[in-house]
Amino acid sequence: MNPKQSDRRRFLKSGAALAGLAVGASASAGPLAAEPAPERIDDLHLYGERSHFVNSVRNGSINNPERRLKDEPNAFGLSTPLQDSVGMITPASLHFVVSHGYEPPDINPLEHRLLIHGMVDCPLIFSLDDLKRLPFVSRFYFIECHGNSTTGGLGGAARISPNATAQDTHGFTSCSQWTGVPLSLLLKEAGVQKSASWILAEGADASKHTKSFPLAKAMDDALVAYGQNGEPVRPEQGFPLRLVVPGWEGINNVKWLRRIDLVDEPYMAMMETTRYPSLRLDGKSRWFKFEMGPKSVITQPSGAHHLPVRGFYEITGLAWSGGGAIRRVEVSTDDGRTWKDAQLHDPVTQKAHTRFSIPWNWNGEEAVLQSRCTDDQGMVQPTMAELAKLYGTDVDYFRKTSQILAGFNAIQPWKVNRDGSVQNAIF
Amino acid sequence: MRFSNLLAAGIVLLTASASLAQTPSYTNVGRTPTKEEIQAWDIAAGPDGKGLPPGHGTAKEGAPIYATKCASCHGPAGEGTPLGRRLVGSKADMWTLTTVQPLITIGSYWPFATTIWDYINRAMPRNQGGSLNANEVYALTAFILSKCGIIQEGDVVDAKTLPKVQMPNHNGFIPQRFEDIPDERKRGCRLGTCP
């Protein structure tokens, strides 16, 4: 073990926290810092690492076994630490992961193939090098698990706990710059026949995950991505190829993509018919919901943060919608009585996280902070009461259900207490 | 331009079978797969039985295969263990679907019997997907359907009979008609705000 690694380990063991608003941040800047020792960069020359003072990590059932799904013990989720996020890009290393029990396959990119077949005039097979010769686009898109911020299932008790962080409440969404070939280009090259109306996409993982979605989406903005944030897509995210289906439930974004079959009906694969429909209280399940609704969350200050003194804070957060670009974010600091427009930070683009912020002076009294967004289709993020009405039930249902509610996008309140502590106030 | 593309374009013209704007314009990028290559990967089975291969099986034949290949994770009677989900449930469990603790099993929830075949074939046993032959997959499908009280022990499951098996919760999904799924107006709500 080199000295640096042992330093790092000692640091991680000590459990010190970094985030600006987290534990014990001092009221003022304090005395001038000593001259720092030179960074030990011998192992950072070839592939950089973040400072060993930064320890923000993903969280989930890997390190919290009680967060495993009772009825699907092999599944695991790892959520993005949104409370530490800045800007609108998620580092690939912190991108959320939901796995139905399988580790990423170890794929040699030289051997990987993408097959396009079915109702096409000319079936085609591509290597990764083939695909990289084609015209490409680079676009910012979020990917969000359909069950992100649900009060049941994967989020479960941790999501509704007063001590929940933004990672616990909303961490199953991440945003990357994806680079790849538009799926429409590949489909046009193969010549889609008139009889085709659906796409069946399949991965090369051990469960050969399969997902059906309408051809119209494939021809619109779906992307066969080989790049993520300026580097190859990471193994956990689908190396070497991931299908990116912008704004639609995460399950459509097939990782380790190896096959696109052009078909004329949904193929009723296991995930889409048995795990991802949203079961309602009337016993009916809505399936193939696809598009994620408008959602936002304040990331600073947020759950488990601590405001050390009264005074100025720039409130900031993220907003996104599967319907399009974010047009407006409003923030309330008085439990929803009044709302003010927040500033949207560039870039503000289609189906991507959008960073917002608004200045705030905390007077030391109790305050409830909330954000609500509107997308460019005019859709407004609902309150819990509005969602309950939509579901034909009361708010208490969301507390009790064991179901993963797809597309749960209620406004998220954070309560700031007089002692500066910040708590999840969803219930 | 690929020769095969030229050929395909010619066929399209000759037969006047319309296709979506085929404009092959990327010379020598990718190639035409062989029939065998497509067959090797084209494993999906659709709800109407498309893609189901020849072969057959009964619950009786499936029982010993289940005991050796599946029971260690899913339990001897499909009741589930900490290693694998519960599989078996029945029409009698469907009342739970209107409660906050619904029982989601193949018998009480899954809308299509073809999905059982497709998933066993591609993914089971865990990390050994593709290791069972078609007859074994048909027999295991029959075994599970029989345990769920949906078919009889001696019923033969094959590419013809499987799509006709009526699952108890078949009508529990909306929109019911496949053609309504992509159509926002027919869904009764805008995507993104569907309860």
Side-chain angles (χ1 to χ4, degrees):
Chain A
M1 188 189 295
N2 71 31
K4 178 165 174 76
Q5 279 171 336
S6 79
D7 283 354
R8 180 178 304 271
R9 238 162 248 186
R10 208 172 308 133
F11 178 79
L12 287 172
K13 266 190 189 160
S14 77
L18 167 89
L21 290 176
V23 219
S26 63
S28 60
L32 292 179
E35 285 293 322
E39 171 76 280
R40 302 181 60 94
I41 54 172
D42 44 326
D43 54 353
L44 300 183
H45 282 307
L46 300 184
Y47 194 86
E49 274 189 59
R50 61 186 181 173
S51 159
H52 64 273
F53 291 107
V54 179
N55 65 349
S56 179
V57 291
R58 291 187 292 211
N59 188 11
S61 46
I62 291 286
N63 50 2
N64 288 297
E66 74 275 13
R67 292 191 189 183
R68 287 183 183 271
L69 293 176
K70 261 182 289 178
D71 61 350
E72 196 181 344
N74 292 322
F76 62 88
L78 289 164
S79 55
T80 297
L82 296 179
Q83 66 278 11
D84 304 328
S85 66
V86 293
M88 47 79 85
I89 291 289
T90 309
S93 50
L94 294 175
H95 194 291
F96 85 88
V97 174
V98 170
S99 163
H100 287 274
Y102 296 94
E103 294 297 339
D106 184 21
I107 297 177
N108 178 344
L110 295 176
E111 291 168 10
H112 192 72
R113 298 287 179 268
L114 173 65
L115 172 66
I116 297 179
H117 72 113
M119 295 172 173
V120 294
D121 294 331
C122 175
L124 289 169
I125 193 161
F126 296 99
S127 67
L128 193 62
D129 284 344
D130 287 332
L131 293 172
K132 286 184 175 171
R133 287 166 53 197
L134 290 170
F136 61 87
V137 295
S138 291
R139 300 253 162 82
F140 298 111
Y141 290 126
F142 75 84
I143 294 179
E144 182 179 19
C145 172
H146 89 312
N148 186 32
S149 47
T150 182
T151 51
L154 207 61
R159 190 265 180 268
I160 64 175
S161 158
N163 303 320
T165 63
Q167 180 168 24
D168 298 324
T169 62
H170 288 76
F172 289 101
T173 183
S174 305
C175 184
S176 303
Q177 187 197 46
W178 298 99
T179 297
V181 184
L183 179 54
S184 60
L185 183 154
L186 301 176
L187 294 182
K188 281 176 192 162
E189 189 72 355
V192 178
Q193 292 170 354
K194 213 176 175 183
S195 49
S197 54
W198 284 75
I199 290 283
L200 186 67
E202 187 178 273
D205 56 305
S207 73
K208 295 180 206 78
H209 168 57
T210 313
K211 185 72 183 69
S212 315
F213 63 88
L215 174 62
K217 180 67 173 176
M219 299 306 286
D220 179 16
D221 56 4
L223 204 57
V224 174
Y226 48 76
Q228 179 184 11
N229 298 341
E231 63 177 1
V233 173
R234 296 239 172 155
E236 296 165 303
Q237 301 303 326
F239 179 83
L241 285 180
R242 180 174 203 173
L243 187 59
V244 174
V245 186
W248 283 19
E249 297 175 327
I251 189 74
N252 294 285
N253 296 257
V254 175
K255 300 172 182 176
W256 315 292
L257 180 71
R258 75 165 194 182
R259 186 165 80 96
I260 302 271
D261 190 1
L262 278 288
V263 292
D264 60 358
E265 62 184 359
Y267 256 47
M268 301 302 176
M270 194 278 265
M271 288 296 165
E272 64 201 11
T273 58
T274 77
R275 304 292 294 143
Y276 280 76
S278 200
L279 177 57
R280 314 187 304 189
L281 264 180
D282 63 1
K284 297 280 183 190
S285 299
R286 195 175 278 284
W287 57 10
F288 299 103
K289 288 180 66 163
F290 297 128
E291 187 179 301
M292 300 302 291
K295 197 186 282 190
S296 69
V297 62
I298 292 171
T299 55
Q300 290 229 17
S302 60
H305 280 157
H306 182 260
L307 306 188
V309 289
R310 63 186 63 185
F312 181 84
Y313 295 90
E314 184 83 0
I315 294 174
T316 180
L318 293 166
W320 62 97
S321 170
I326 291 297
R327 194 181 66 195
R328 181 183 198 193
V329 178
E330 298 156 281
V331 169
S332 170
T333 57
D334 57 6
D335 204 8
R337 281 185 288 279
T338 61
W339 295 82
K340 279 185 196 156
D341 279 306
Q343 180 195 347
L344 304 185
H345 294 263
D346 284 339
V348 181
T349 64
Q350 293 283 315
K351 303 164 191 176
H353 283 178
T354 296
R355 175 62 63 179
F356 66 85
S357 76
I358 190 168
W360 177 52
N361 271 293
W362 182 45
N363 61 10
E365 295 301 312
E366 267 186 19
V368 176
L369 313 181
Q370 303 175 67
S371 62
R372 111 181 136 201
C373 67
T374 305
D375 69 18
D376 61 7
Q377 305 294 304
M379 294 295 296
V380 183
Q381 183 180 8
T383 61
M384 282 270 277
E386 285 164 346
L387 265 187
K389 202 174 162 193
L390 192 71
Y391 275 74
T393 179
D394 52 26
V395 166
D396 210 35
Y397 166 68
F398 298 125
R399 190 205 307 261
K400 288 178 179 161
T401 184
S402 66
Q403 283 299 286
I404 294 171
L405 300 168
F408 184 86
N409 61 339
I411 289 171
Q412 170 66 35
W414 301 115
K415 185 179 172 199
V416 180
N417 296 308
R418 284 202 178 85
D419 64 2
S421 61
V422 185
Q423 287 188 310
N424 177 21
I426 188 78
F427 288 115
Chain B
M1 183 183 280
R2 253 188 308 277
F3 173 73
S4 54
N5 277 354
L6 267 177
L7 192 67
I11 291 167
V12 167
L13 282 177
L14 283 174
T15 60
S17 78
S19 64
L20 275 181
Q22 193 196 1
T23 50
S25 35
Y26 306 106
T27 312
N28 279 329
V29 184
R31 64 172 171 86
T32 304
T34 65
K35 256 187 188 167
E36 292 71 31
E37 284 175 320
I38 296 177
Q39 264 175 4
W41 277 12
D42 187 10
I43 55 170
D48 50 13
K50 259 187 227 136
L52 284 174
H56 54 82
T58 63
K60 218 174 158 186
E61 292 160 1
I65 307 169
Y66 181 89
T68 30
K69 305 263 183 183
C70 321
S72 58
C73 290
H74 292 291
E79 72 276 25
T81 80
L83 294 176
R85 288 172 66 80
R86 174 171 173 164
L87 305 174
V88 170
S90 73
K91 199 172 178 178
D93 300 313
M94 284 177 61
W95 67 272
T96 64
L97 299 184
T98 56
T99 72
V100 292
Q101 298 285 340
L103 188 65
I104 307 285
T105 66
I106 292 176
S108 61
Y109 192 74
W110 289 33
F112 295 98
T114 49
T115 308
I116 310 172
W117 196 97
D118 179 84
Y119 194 70
I120 295 174
N121 180 55
R122 70 175 57 246
M124 291 289 118
R126 188 176 153 75
N127 290 324
Q128 297 166 49
S131 64
L132 300 166
N133 67 38
N135 284 345
E136 289 174 316
V137 180
Y138 279 118
L140 286 171
T141 305
F143 177 79
I144 292 165
L145 286 169
S146 155
K147 281 282 171 199
C148 293
I150 296 166
I151 64 168
Q152 301 296 315
E153 240 198 339
D155 288 353
V156 175
V157 169
D158 60 23
K160 271 201 175 142
T161 58
L162 186 60
K164 290 182 189 148
V165 171
Q166 189 78 9
M167 299 297 280
N169 195 36
H170 179 73
N171 294 321
F173 294 78
I174 48 174
Q176 186 71 42
R177 300 186 332 150
F178 293 1
E179 56 268 41
D180 293 344
I181 292 172
D183 189 332
E184 282 184 27
R185 288 163 302 140
K186 291 179 181 171
R187 296 176 67 88
C189 58
R190 184 175 176 271
L191 299 172
T193 52
C194 293

